[in-house]
């Protein structure tokens, strides 16, 4: 804070105190803001403690004012629900008497009661219809008398009610879906809106409330960034079927979050469009026929027939066989199936032929039927093994672990198509059942079969435990009884289904952790791990904290079991937390286990002692002996150990302010008195107690203790004065006032109430006393001849019954009407004496005379000396001290001295001014103090204000400051103001704390001083970034490392302190899969399971960030290598292999090789291959997996012997791990044949039809050929060798399927004749040819083509509905219905703003456009023909909506309020107004102007571009004060649309209140001279000076001081009343020039000086004589100041050169003083001192001006004073002077001088 300064009228800047006297300092301080001790205005000094309190309060106010200049808050805040009726009370503002209240800018919505301040609604308010639901209203409070205006800011918030339902953009929407579209097909629906606010306007749910039969649709809500829905998707949940339901009508409901909620609805009309979705359906799905193997080729076997539910071409059916077979053929139209070649009986299984039927729709639909052809033949088939699973829907066998013995796992069916014994079969398990867990049992057939069949049950006969064996691979062999015997092998894989028979098991029964309560959030607590022997969901474990976490301090990762801190810990809340942690698997019936984690929280000294009460109040009886137990304060500290050990002490200010009075027990907190207390001396005490713990560092708290001293009736009433002298005129009224006696009792309450009574001297009952007030009255008229004097004794009794020890005496003299009292030669005496003067020191003397020559005058001190510090000689009138005086206790005394001259008494006032000596040293508020500096503060910055007080007067009380202990010279101090500053920078400082000693010394002689020890702490700034020890770290861990394992410490350091040095860690990059985490202490841990085979190395970039603002960072790289474990088993590349070996190949021919891979490394990945079981025909290399034959083979001999030409072998691969893993595969080796037969087509020629719209990939026809060879020799390859010049077709070289690959156009080519070749794959290939005729069917194959489209066009938003925009046009090469085109808008127009004519293509407007809502549309226009299927084309049109000026600028609030100081510099920024315009371009560009100002003037200007308002003329608060106290500007915002007449505008009011600054000094309104009789006693009022200050309020509170204190006068600092003090007048001084300062009361004070000449009138008048006996003058009103009215002159007839000065001592008009209206030069010229207004004077319009003339060489010469009363017929002569009046008449025009009568307006005794 800058030092306080005072601005004087002469422009100099001085200390507000240094220019004043000691009294002025204290009284000046007493009149600071809040007017401390204003109720004690007659007190001319303050005690040291009060003065210190004033200083502290002043500092608080200075800092408070400084901090409060930045702005202000709303004074009143009200809320009102919308929808309230007119007249509803919103709220009432606080009112003050004399003020009326109005709105500055009355809103339409509210009214205010001018008197009560109650605000009511003016209309029913609909929140949704008002632009803003917050009203910031300025209320003006105007005083009815002074017209002073104060602003009151009121904010009214209109509370939203849920009175609006959500609204969709449209109430009905038509939508279409294509049947059989994919599930999840969707359309976007626009979301609903709700004009309500907050929850009432938040749409929280969309639902389909009606029409959603079979739940065919659902809504998917798409949230926006704020989480609220922005649009919704309507999705299908099933495939729609036009034939089942072709129309849906849904009702979609939107519900808001109000209470109760409201809903809005939209109706969706959904059409399901038909497509070719019905396939042909055969009359029966399965056909079975039996064919003898001798049946010749070409034989018709059967007819098939299919129907299609579609119509037209979609229902036309043709047949084909879509399989690789050459045995059968179907005629496409009739459905006749014929045999293509003779069949060989292979087994009892039939030939399975799939016959398909397809329609001619687009896309083509297919139907199928299955033909089973059984061939009757000899025994030449192997047994066939098949499996049936339980349940039948499964595709593999399963068995549940723990299943009962005898349970059926699967059924094995063995069939043999041979007959008799050739078809009899047996079945045996040959491998995979080594543990004998299964057995075979035959199952009787329930019905006969066409082939010989046996069914076996596989039964469970052992205990199944998945945890031991997870699956079984059973190999079964079936033999028939033929000769030779034939066999087949089958493999049954049985999966053991896990049952949830194991609960998770924790690795430890209980866990423990210790944590400091200062650990940061996210810190590691413990890692709990459980395992579950089950599989799948049954083994998937989720962790949770079940109990013990009520404080929510901890959290657990549900997947990994990592427990971390979730919040900051507080040991004082809980020191031990026992968490119950559950591990639950995810089985259908989950199993769970629990463990306990006990967390012990270690203490830190983080709590300060906390008192049990925010403050304490106690009472102490006064006069009680010391060591009285006052009260006990108690503070609790939740810390433990020494950190929680609380001790107590009184703060330093207690000992400073109340030394030796109180003490406190450091352990118990009990406060004791250490001395006897006296309530009359101090009625109450405020102590501060500090409680501190013993932690490191210690923490403390302070509490206030208020002690009331309970009164006892230990004081008796005391009269002062004790003797009263009264003179009463005889024959006065019967009941008349005599005197009022006064007694005081220092006790309080009833004990201090005093009752008076006459206890003596009233025997004749002539007097009575008012017991309450002490007023003594006569009850009858007194007669001097009857009794000339009375002495009454007055007693006083307090409310406790105690009686005054000394009664008061009232001595009453009954005087004659002719008697005159003694008269002092001066009415006021003024004396000075130093405060260190000894007892009996001479003060001064008084003197009185009496007209009664025989009267003996006795002097007594009547009042003003209650402590009897003075005495007066009763005969001589000499006044002396009786004891030493203390100026700081009492700086001045005003004694009333009586002169008793017989029966009459005269009085005088004696003012004694105690002069200062330097007996007080400066005092600091405390002997030690602390403050902070920041290490990066600049040199010269002020940081601490040292302030000491000295009760002495200047210069003894002036204080200067010096630093006597200044480490390294870092600090400096302003010797005058006490502001400390930095001498050097602190950046290089290595100390955190400095101890500085400051000495405050006064300017007395000798000088006194005091010392302050200041501890300066250097606060850290965040100027260091964290630092790692290295930029790169490396480590390695196993890929099987457990999750949550901590494996590396990354520690960074930060040289900063506190929060600037606290570091948090995070992983920035390289953390693929979120595999790692880092704790707040830098420990890196495994966060998720690792897999070296997925990622073998991580390069983590780890950041350390400190907690400074702004924060600083550093990063390092941590390279983590993942070490391999044998956690992967080998995998064969194929689950089975097939190899071919040509018959006749040599021994050791390579048949093939099998290959397996293992993701592990090293030995874990070294693989070994072996056959399962003994193998004598083939060899397998253990290292390479290469297979060779050990014997030669003949395919025909092999088939004859075994019935087959293939071998099925099993092989195993094992890795080299310590616990090896293995994989198994099946190998089929086929003995291949040589080629000796050509292929044969099933038909001699083929015919087929196809639509010209058939898509590429459409199957046209399959040709089939067969080859009796086997292997490659029987593999047939097809090709088109002729007729496909256009490349429209291709044939599958393997299957013979002819497929369309190019677009067909029947108009170009209506028929194709293809030549197809079938060639086998033998080494000497054989082939055959066949013709295929393809007929092309006509279709609607031309789509509309757009010929006229405007791709981009602009329209104005002001376009009317129905106006044309553009048109589109398309053509279609088809004719008839296929070429008839219609147009529609199919996208980009969700609100249906546009319409297209379906026939003409004209696009018009159907809704109004709004550029501000949407500035462009991309319309998708579709052209459709009328063919079947329909053809469409799409084009897009970009419609740009051009803005038109349809929005006015909008101000955010109607009234802007700002406060500024007066006298701001020109072009100072005041406030910025801002308006927005949603239009674009120049239509939205806003310019600002000021259209009016109240009061009129050009005090402000505005920047038209940005709305910044600046001052443009002088801002004067005093000028504005007569114009309501504020400026009101009307600011207009205008957009820049063209033409100019189309521009739109808005206005707002800116109300600017001007704060007063103290820019005016007080102006004296008092003449500069006054007269006083030399005999005026002490206390006589000389005059009252007044000074006006144009500044407002506190600035205008003027305090008065006499600068030259040696004069015999004193002044009331508040009223300006000047009176004679106790010193009295000096005998030879006839005029005193008293310099008076008038000081206003602001912190930055102004003062004005006046030299008041006080003329002391003596008994003789030897002064000058006026030249004329009467002077008069006249002046017109409204003349400027200084207009000359009249000149007067006076002098000595015998000495014409004598110098004479003239003084105006009084100006009166109409009996009212009018000081300042006239002024006078010392040469005698009277002129106007102000502009005069006759109407202010009333009817007489006359002034009476008193003028004195004085001559002499100086103001203190012995020249006598005389004065003359002018313009009076009668002269009044007194012993002291001659004086007169000048009458001046004020009139509108010059007029005659008025003659006056003899009446004297002012009596002589008033002087």
């Amino acid at each position: 804070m800058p030092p306080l300064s005072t601005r004087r009228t002469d422009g100099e800047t001085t200390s507000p105190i240094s220019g004043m006297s000691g009294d002025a300092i204290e009284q000046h301080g007493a009149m600071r803001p809040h007017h401390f001790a204003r109720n004690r205005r007659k007190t001319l000094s303050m005690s040291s403690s009060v003065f210190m309190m004033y200083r502290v309060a002043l500092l608080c106010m200075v800092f408070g004012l400084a901090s409060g200049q930045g702005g202000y808050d709303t004074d009143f805040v009200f809320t009102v629900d919308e929808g309230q009726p007119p007249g509803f009370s919103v709220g009432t503002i606080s009112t003050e008497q004399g003020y009326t209240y109005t709105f500055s800018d009355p809103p339409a919505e509210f009214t205010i009661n001018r008197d009560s301040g109650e605000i009511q609604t003016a209309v029913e308010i609909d929140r949704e219809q008002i632009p803003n639901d917050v009203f910031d209203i300025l209320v003006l409070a105007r005083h009815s008398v002074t017209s002073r205006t104060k602003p009151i800011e009121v904010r009214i918030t209109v509370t939203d009610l849920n009175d609006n339902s959500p609204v969709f953009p449209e109430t009905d929407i038509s939508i279409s879906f294509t049947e059989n579209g994919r599930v999840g097909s969707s359309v976007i629906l626009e979301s609903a809106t709700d004009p309500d606010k907050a929850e009432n306007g938040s749409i929280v749910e969309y639902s389909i409330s009606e029409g959603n039969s079979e739940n065919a649709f659902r809504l998917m809500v798409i949230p926006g960034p704020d989480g609220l829905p922005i649009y919704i998707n309507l999705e299908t949940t099933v495939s729609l079927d036009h034939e089942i339901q072709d129309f849906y009508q849904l009702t979609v409901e939107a519900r808001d979050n109000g209470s109760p909620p409201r809903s809005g609805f939209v109706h969706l009309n959904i059409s399901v469009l038909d497509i070719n979705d019905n396939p042909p359906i055969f009359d029966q799905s399965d056909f079975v026929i039996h064919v003898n193997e001798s049946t010749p080729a070409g034989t018709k076997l059967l007819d098939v027939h299919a129907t299609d539910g579609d119509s037209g071409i979609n229902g036309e059916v043709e047949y084909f066989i879509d399989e690789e077979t050459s045995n059968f053929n179907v005629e496409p139209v009739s459905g006749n199936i014929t045999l293509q070649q003779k069949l060989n009986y292979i087994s009892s299984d039939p030939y399975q032929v799939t016959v398909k039927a397809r329609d001619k729709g687009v896309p083509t639909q297919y139907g199928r039927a299955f033909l089973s052809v059984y061939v009757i033949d000899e025994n030449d088939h192997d047994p066939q093994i098949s499996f049936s699973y339980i349940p039948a829907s499964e595709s593999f066998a399963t068995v549940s672990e723990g299943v009962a013995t005898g349970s059926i796992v699967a059924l094995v069916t063995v069939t043999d198509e041979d007959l008799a014994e050739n078809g009899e079969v047996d079945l045996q398990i040959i491998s995979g059942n080594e543990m004998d867990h299964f057995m075979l049992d035959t199952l009787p057939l329930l019905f006969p079969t066409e082939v010989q069949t046996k069914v076996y049950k596989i039964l469970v006969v052992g205990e199944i435990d998945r945890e031991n064996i997870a699956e079984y691979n059973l190999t079964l062999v079936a033999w028939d009884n033929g000769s030779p015997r034939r066999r087949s092998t089958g493999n049954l894989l049985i999966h053991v289904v896990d049952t949830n028979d194991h609960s998770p098991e924790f690795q430890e029964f209980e866990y423990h952790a210790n944590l400091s309560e200062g650990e940061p959030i996210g810190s590691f607590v413990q890692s709990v791990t459980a395992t579950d022997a089950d599989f799948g969901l049954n083994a998937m474990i989720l962790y949770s904290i079940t109990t013990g976490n009520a404080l929510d301090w901890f959290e657990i990762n549900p997947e990994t079991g990592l427990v971390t801190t979730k919040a900051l810990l507080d040991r004082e809340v809980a020191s031990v937390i026992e968490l119950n942690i559950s591990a639950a698997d995810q089985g259908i019936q989950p199993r769970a286990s629990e463990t306990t984690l006990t967390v012990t929280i270690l203490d830190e000294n983080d709590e300060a002692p906390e008192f049990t009460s925010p403050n304490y109040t106690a009472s102490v009886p006064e006069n009680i002996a010391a060591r009285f137990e006052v009260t006990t304060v108690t503070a609790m500290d939740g810390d433990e150990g020494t950190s929680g050990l609380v001790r107590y002490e009184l703060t330093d200010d207690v000992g400073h302010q109340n030394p030796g009075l109180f003490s406190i027990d450091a352990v118990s907190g009990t406060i004791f008195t250490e001395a006897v207390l006296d309530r009359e001396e101090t009625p109450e005490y405020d102590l501060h107690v500090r409680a501190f713990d013993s932690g490191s560092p210690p923490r403390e708290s302070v509490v206030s203790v208020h002690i009331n001293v309970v009164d006892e009736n230990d004081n008796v009433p005391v009269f002062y004065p004790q003797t009263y002298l009264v003179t009463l005129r005889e024959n006065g009224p019967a009941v008349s006032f005599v005197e009022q006696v006064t007694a005081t009792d220092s006790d309080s309450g009833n004990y201090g109430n005093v009752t008076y009574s006459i206890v003596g001297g009233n025997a004749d009952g002539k007097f009575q006393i008012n017991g309450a007030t002490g007023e003594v009255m006569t009850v009858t008229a007194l007669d001097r001849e009857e009794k000339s004097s009375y002495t009454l004794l007055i007693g006083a009794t307090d409310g406790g019954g105690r009686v005054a020890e000394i009664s008061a005496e009232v001595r009453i003299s009954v005087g004659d009407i002719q008697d005159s009292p003694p008269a002092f030669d001066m009415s006021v005496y003024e004396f000075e004496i130093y405060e260190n003067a000894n007892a009996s020191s001479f003060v001064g003397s008084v003197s009185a005379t009496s007209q009664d020559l025989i009267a003996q005058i006795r002097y007594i001190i009547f009042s003003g000396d209650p402590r009897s510090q003075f005495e007066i000689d009763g005969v001589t009138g000499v006044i002396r001290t009786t004891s030493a005086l203390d100026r700081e206790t009492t700086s001045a005394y005003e004694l009333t001295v009586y002169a008793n001259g017989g029966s009459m008494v005269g009085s005088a006032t004696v003012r004694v001014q105690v002069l200062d000596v330097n007996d007080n040293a400066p005092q600091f508020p405390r002997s030690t103090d602390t403050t902070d500096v920041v290490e990066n503060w600049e040199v010269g910055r002020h940081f601490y204000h040292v302030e000491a007080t000295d009760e002495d007067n200047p210069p003894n009380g002036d204080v200067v400051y010096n630093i006597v202990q200044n480490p390294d010279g870092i600090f400096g101090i302003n010797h005058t103001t006490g502001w400390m500053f930095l001498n050097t920078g602190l950046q290089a400082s290595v100390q955190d704390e400095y101890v500085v000693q400051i000495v405050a010394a006064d300017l007395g002689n000798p000088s006194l001083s005091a010392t302050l020890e200041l501890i300066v702490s250097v606060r850290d700034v965040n100027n260091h970034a964290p630092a790692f020890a290295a930029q790169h770290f490396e480590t390695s861990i196993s890929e099987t490392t457990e999750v949550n394992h901590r494996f590396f410490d990354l520690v960074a350091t930060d040289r900063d302190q506190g929060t600037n040095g606290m570091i948090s860690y995070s992983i920035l990059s390289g953390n693929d899969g979120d595999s790692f985490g880092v704790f707040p202490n830098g420990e890196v841990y495994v966060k998720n399971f690792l897999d070296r085979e997925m990622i073998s190395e991580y390069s983590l970039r780890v950041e350390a960030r400190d907690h400074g603002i702004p924060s600083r960072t550093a990063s390092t790289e941590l390279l983590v290598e993942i070490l391999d474990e044998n956690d992967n088993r080998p995998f064969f590349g194929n689950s089975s292999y097939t190899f071919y070996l040509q018959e006749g190949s040599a021994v050791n021919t390579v048949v093939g090789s099998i290959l397996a891979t293992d993701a592990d490394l090293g030995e874990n990945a070294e693989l070994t291959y072996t056959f399962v079981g003994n193998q004598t025909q083939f060899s397998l290399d253990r290292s390479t997996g290469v297979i060779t034959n050990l014997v030669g083979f003949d395919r025909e001999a092999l088939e004859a012997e075994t019935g087959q030409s293939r071998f099925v072998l099993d092989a195993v691969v094992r890795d080299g791990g310590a616990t090896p893993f293995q994989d198994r595969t099946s190998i089929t080796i086929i003995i291949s044949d040589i080629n000796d037969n050509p292929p044969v087509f099933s038909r001699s020629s083929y015919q087929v039809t196809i639509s010209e719209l058939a898509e590429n990939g459409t199957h046209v026809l399959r040709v089939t050929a067969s080859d009796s060879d086997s292997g490659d020799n029987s593999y047939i390859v097809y090709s088109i060798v002729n007729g496909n010049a256009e490349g429209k077709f291709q044939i599958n070289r393997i299957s013979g399927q002819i497929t369309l690959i190019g677009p067909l156009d029947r108009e170009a080519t209506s028929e194709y004749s293809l030549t197809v070749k079938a060639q086998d794959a033998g080494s000497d290939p054989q082939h055959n040819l066949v013709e295929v005729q393809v007929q092309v069917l006509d279709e609607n194959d031309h789509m509309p083509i757009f010929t006229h489209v405007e791709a981009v066009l602009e329209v104005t938003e002001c376009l009317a509905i129905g106006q044309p925009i553009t048109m589109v046009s398309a053509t279609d090469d088809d004719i008839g219905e296929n070429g008839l085109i219609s147009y529609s808008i199919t996208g980009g127009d969700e609100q249906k703003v546009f319409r297209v004519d379906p026939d003409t293509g004209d696009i018009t407007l159907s809704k109004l456009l709004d550029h501000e809502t949407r500035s462009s549309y991309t319309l998708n226009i579709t052209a459709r023909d009328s063919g079947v299927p329909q053809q469409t084309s799409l084009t897009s049109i970009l419609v740009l909506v051009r803005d038109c000026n349809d929005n006015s600028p909008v101000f955010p609030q109607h009234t802007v309020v700002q406060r500024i100081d007066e006298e701001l510099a020109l072009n100072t920024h005041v406030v910025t107004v801002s308006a927005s315009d949603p239009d674009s371009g120049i239509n939205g560009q806003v310019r600002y102007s000021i259209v009016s100002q109240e009061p009129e003037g050009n005090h402000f200007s505005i920047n038209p571009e940005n709305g910044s308002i600046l001052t443009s003329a002088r801002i004067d608060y005093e000028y504005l004060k007569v114009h309501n106290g504020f400026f009101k500007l009307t600011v207009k915002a205008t957009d820049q649309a063209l033409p100019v007449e189309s521009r739109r505008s808005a206005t707002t009011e800116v109300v600017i209140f001007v704060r007063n600054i103290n820019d005016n000094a007080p102006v004296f309104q008092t003449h500069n001279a006054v007269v006083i009789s030399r005999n005026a006693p002490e206390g006589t009022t000389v005059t009252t000076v007044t000074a006006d200050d144009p500044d407002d309020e506190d600035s205008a509170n003027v305090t008065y001081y006499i600068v030259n204190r040696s004069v015999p006068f004193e002044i009331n600092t508040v009223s300006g009343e000047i009176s004679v003090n106790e010193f009295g007048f000096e005998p030879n001084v006839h005029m005193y020039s008293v310099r008076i300062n008038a000081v206003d009361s602001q912190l930055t004070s102004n003062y004005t000086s006046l030299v008041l000449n006080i003329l002391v009138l003596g008994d003789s008048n030897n002064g000058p004589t006026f030249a004329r006996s009467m002077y008069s003058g006249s002046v017109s009103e409204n003349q400027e100041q200084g207009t000359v009215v009249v000149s007067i002159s006076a002098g000595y007839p015998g000495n014409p050169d004598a110098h004479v000065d003239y003084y105006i001592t009084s100006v009166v008009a109409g009996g009212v003083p009018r000081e300042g209206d006239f002024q006078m030069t010392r040469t005698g010229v009277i002129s106007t001192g102000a502009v005069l207004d006759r109407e202010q004077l009333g009817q007489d319009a006359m002034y009476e001006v008193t003028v004195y003339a004085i001559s002499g060489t100086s103001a203190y010469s012995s020249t006598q004073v005389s004065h003359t009363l002018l313009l009076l017929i009668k002269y009044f002569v007194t012993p002291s002077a001659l004086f007169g009046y000048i009458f001046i008449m004020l009139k509108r025009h010059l007029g005659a001088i008025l003659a006056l009568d003899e009446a004297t307006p002012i009596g002589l005794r008033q002087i």
Side-chain angles (χ1 to χ4, degrees), residues 1368 1383-1385 1394-1404 1421-1422:
V1368 294
Y1383 304 94
S1384 62
I1385 299 175
F1394 303 92
R1395 178 184 179 275
V1396 62
D1397 188 291
D1399 298 323
T1400 66
D1402 290 332
I1403 300 176
T1404 57
I1421 310 297
T1422 299

Side-chain angles (χ1 to χ4, degrees), residues 1286-1302:
E1286 297 179 5
K1288 301 293 186 181
F1289 304 94
Q1290 72 176 14
I1291 189 169
N1292 187 298
R1293 63 193 302 269
I1294 304 300
S1295 67
Q1297 177 67 57
I1298 299 174
T1299 306
L1300 182 66
I1301 63 171

Side-chain angles (χ1 to χ4, degrees), residues 1746-1757:
T1746 304
V1747 178
Y1748 280 81
I1750 183 171
S1751 69
T1753 59
S1754 70
Y1756 299 96
S1757 69

